[in-house]
Amino acid sequence: MSKAAVILAAGAGTRMKSALPKVLHKVAGLPLLGHVIAALRAAGVERIVVVTSPAGEAVRDYARALGCESAVQHQQLGTGHAAASAKEALADFTGTLLVINGDMPLVTGDTIAECLAAGARTGLSLLAFEPKDPGSYGRVLLTPDGYLNRIVEYKDATVSERAATLCNAGCYAADAERFFHWASRLTNHNAQKEYYLTDVPLLAREEGVKCAVALADEIAVTGVNSRAELAEAERKYQDRMRTRLLADGVTMTAPETVFFAHDTVVENDVEIEPFVVIGPGVTVKSGARLRSHSHLEGATVASGAIIGPFARLRPGARIGEDVHIGNFVEVKNTVLEKGAKANHLTYLGDARVGAGANIGAGTITCNYDGFTKAVTEIGAGAFIGSDTALVAPVKIGEGAITAAGSVITQDVAPDALAIARGVLTEKPGWAKAFRERKRTEQK
Ligand code: UD1
Ligand code: MG
């Protein structure tokens, strides 16, 4: 059976107090919407329609970039109205439809699969969960035989209904054609004068379709409505990543201080010291070590490499086997081959560093003239003296040495020594004579 999904993302997101649409706020470096799309794909959903407000241009662009379609909800009249806005986009679709809130970044393919399985039993299902704090979630009331009786929105609920502990997660499955038929019959006779998606099960029951309730893990269905909830979702996401990586054989002495991105790959026997922050696009191979206070994004680190403490790897940093990147070293768009070392206070940008080369403290690749970026090539086994400025484009041959303090503006041949600094002159006794002259002048 083919599967499609409608993601609801047209809400005003007022509680975020943001110029950015709520679903584009990020958890672990990926927009909330990206997390929901990834989970749907993992559950085998082929077509995805994202419902946006008319102003949701940025959301539509993002959805398109991830291979999704979009539909516009012209007025924000409620979740049921939003779901119905996708009807036209899916007019040619037959199969199972999932409708899901766009603000659930911790949802997984497995959770969605459970909703689908429950829907296949009766023809309609929803995900429910038992949160520690039910807050303002819609309350799920069951029939004695365990099907949905009805959902009461918090604002419409009586005191005793609010005491119910089972809550609506905001994910539903049904046959697409039947779902849109029910959605078109919704009314807005409630406290918020909105067309509630949560009333769909009542209309289904009138046609003899029971709504099955699949129980989801609280963490997987955490919704984000405010910055505090965004921070809470981030915390839960990071905890999940840390637990998974520890189980996969990664050593972390203080995992609660280490941060990952949604796509971070860390192999077993990697050691990560406290206070390491990893942004999107990072792969760390088995046996590498990330030392304290290092920041990595868009970088790969091969086995045996040691990064930090206090190192910064920026996009395009390709750190080879057994390479050492030490304190206050920044690497951008640069390849370091096996065993190369840059241990202190260095900037390597748009460069290639050959195997076993040694980059002295204070070395800078001068890669940018304010207009274009130029490349620095450092041959295998070269020795770059401390405080060398390499003015790119420039090539240092294999095994060459640059003298400390040199400004290198032209290519250096293999095995040569390049010195480019002022010649030292020593004036014997000059300092003493200078002091004596000054003291006499002051008398
Ligand atoms: C909704 C559910 C509630 C559930 C909760 C789970 C309804 C009526 N209530 O409440 O039972 O416990 O989610 O998180 O469905 N949206 C639109 N257009 C609109 C209104 C909303 O696209 O006109 C979208 C929002 O962008 C959001 C989603 O629908 O992604 C849910 O809307 P939100 O306002 O967050 O609903 P809740 O109050 O959280
Ligand atoms: Mg919500």
Side-chain angles (χ1 to χ4, degrees):
M1 185 61 116
S2 50
K3 296 188 266 294
V6 173
I7 302 179
L8 307 183
T14 332
R15 288 166 278 177
M16 295 297 284
K17 301 200 172 121
S18 177
L20 187 71
K22 175 168 82 175
V23 295
L24 296 186
H25 282 264
K26 290 176 181 173
V27 163
L30 185 73
L32 305 182
L33 184 58
H35 286 282
V36 177
I37 291 170
L40 288 167
R41 297 267 188 239
V45 175
E46 300 105 23
R47 276 181 77 176
I48 299 176
V49 179
V50 179
V51 177
T52 73
S53 72
E57 183 86 44
V59 180
R60 290 193 289 279
D61 288 348
Y62 181 72
R64 197 175 313 118
L66 294 188
C68 302
E69 300 160 57
S70 59
V72 174
Q73 183 193 17
H74 291 283
Q75 266 184 298
Q76 279 49 74
L77 301 178
T79 50
H81 181 262
S85 307
K87 183 177 176 177
E88 230 174 273
L90 289 169
D92 60 343
F93 174 78
T94 49
T96 305
L97 185 71
L98 264 154
V99 179
I100 185 167
N101 289 357
D103 61 359
M104 293 164 57
L106 287 115
V107 72
T108 64
D110 288 348
T111 304
I112 288 168
E114 279 172 35
C115 186
L116 283 167
R121 284 204 302 276
T122 63
L124 175 65
S125 67
L126 67 85
L127 278 182
F129 67 116
E130 289 211 298
K132 278 188 208 81
D133 170 18
S136 59
Y137 284 113
R139 302 298 200 262
V140 171
L141 309 176
L142 299 180
T143 59
D145 55 354
Y147 291 97
L148 179 75
N149 180 6
R150 62 198 175 92
I151 302 169
V152 202
E153 283 309 294
Y154 182 78
K155 287 188 180 149
D156 298 292
T158 62
V159 173
S160 67
E161 284 166 343
R162 285 180 184 180
T165 54
L166 195 60
C167 292
N168 174 28
C171 178
Y172 318 77
D175 168 72
E177 200 182 326
R178 296 192 92 171
F179 174 83
F180 284 121
H181 158 69
W182 296 322
S184 67
R185 295 180 50 216
L186 290 168
T187 59
N188 64 351
H189 306 144
N190 51 56
Q192 304 186 80
K193 300 267 173 294
E194 283 184 6
Y195 294 86
Y196 288 167
L197 186 52
T198 46
D199 288 342
V200 159
L202 298 178
L203 299 167
R205 192 167 50 202
E206 285 173 13
E207 296 180 8
V209 177
K210 288 181 185 174
C211 181
V213 177
L215 200 62
D217 164 41
E218 169 174 10
I219 290 176
V221 297
T222 304
V224 172
N225 298 298
S226 64
R227 305 277 181 155
E229 287 175 9
L230 183 68
E232 183 60 16
E234 180 77 42
R235 195 184 64 70
K236 287 177 176 165
Y237 195 93
Q238 292 296 338
D239 277 348
R240 187 197 268 174
M241 284 290 275
R242 292 167 188 143
T243 304
R244 180 166 68 73
L245 291 172
L246 289 167
D248 287 351
V250 174
T251 295
M252 288 185 267
T253 42
E256 69 282 6
T257 66
V258 179
F259 291 82
F260 299 96
H262 65 103
D263 60 351
T264 306
V265 177
V266 185
E267 292 186 355
N268 70 318
D269 286 330
V270 166
E271 186 185 340
I272 308 180
E273 293 183 358
F275 304 105
V276 168
V277 176
I278 299 182
V282 171
T283 297
V284 185
K285 297 295 214 180
S286 187
R289 187 167 169 210
L290 307 181
R291 306 207 54 202
S292 286
H293 299 283
S294 293
H295 188 283
L296 296 80
E297 52 193 331
T300 57
V301 178
S303 41
I306 302 175
I307 308 300
F310 295 97
R312 179 164 185 215
L313 303 186
R314 291 174 49 205
R318 302 276 170 266
I319 310 301
E321 274 177 48
D322 304 323
V323 164
H324 292 186
I325 300 293
N327 41 269
F328 307 107
V329 173
E330 175 180 344
V331 181
K332 186 218 72 170
N333 190 31
T334 289
V335 177
L336 287 105
E337 290 168 359
K338 189 176 165 75
K341 291 188 175 64
N343 272 327
H344 341 260
L345 299 157
T346 286
Y347 173 60
L348 295 171
D350 304 308
R352 170 171 287 273
V353 179
N358 188 88
I359 311 294
T363 297
I364 304 288
T365 52
C366 310
N367 61 326
Y368 186 50
D369 59 9
F371 296 90
T372 50
K373 304 271 168 69
V375 171
T376 301
E377 286 184 44
I378 298 171
F383 184 97
I384 307 300
S386 295
D387 202 23
T388 296
L390 298 159
V391 182
V394 71
K395 277 186 198 167
I396 309 298
E398 289 187 9
I401 296 177
T402 67
S406 292
V407 178
I408 305 292
T409 54
Q410 61 191 55
D411 292 355
V412 177
D415 295 321
L417 166 70
I419 310 180
R421 61 187 180 208
V423 178
L424 188 148
T425 38
E426 182 175 322
K427 301 184 176 179
W430 188 95
K432 191 173 173 219
F434 168 76
R435 280 191 297 273
E436 282 165 4
R437 192 175 75 237
K438 285 289 178 194
R439 282 194 198 110
T440 339
E441 279 170 13
Q442 279 173 358
K443 277 184 189 152

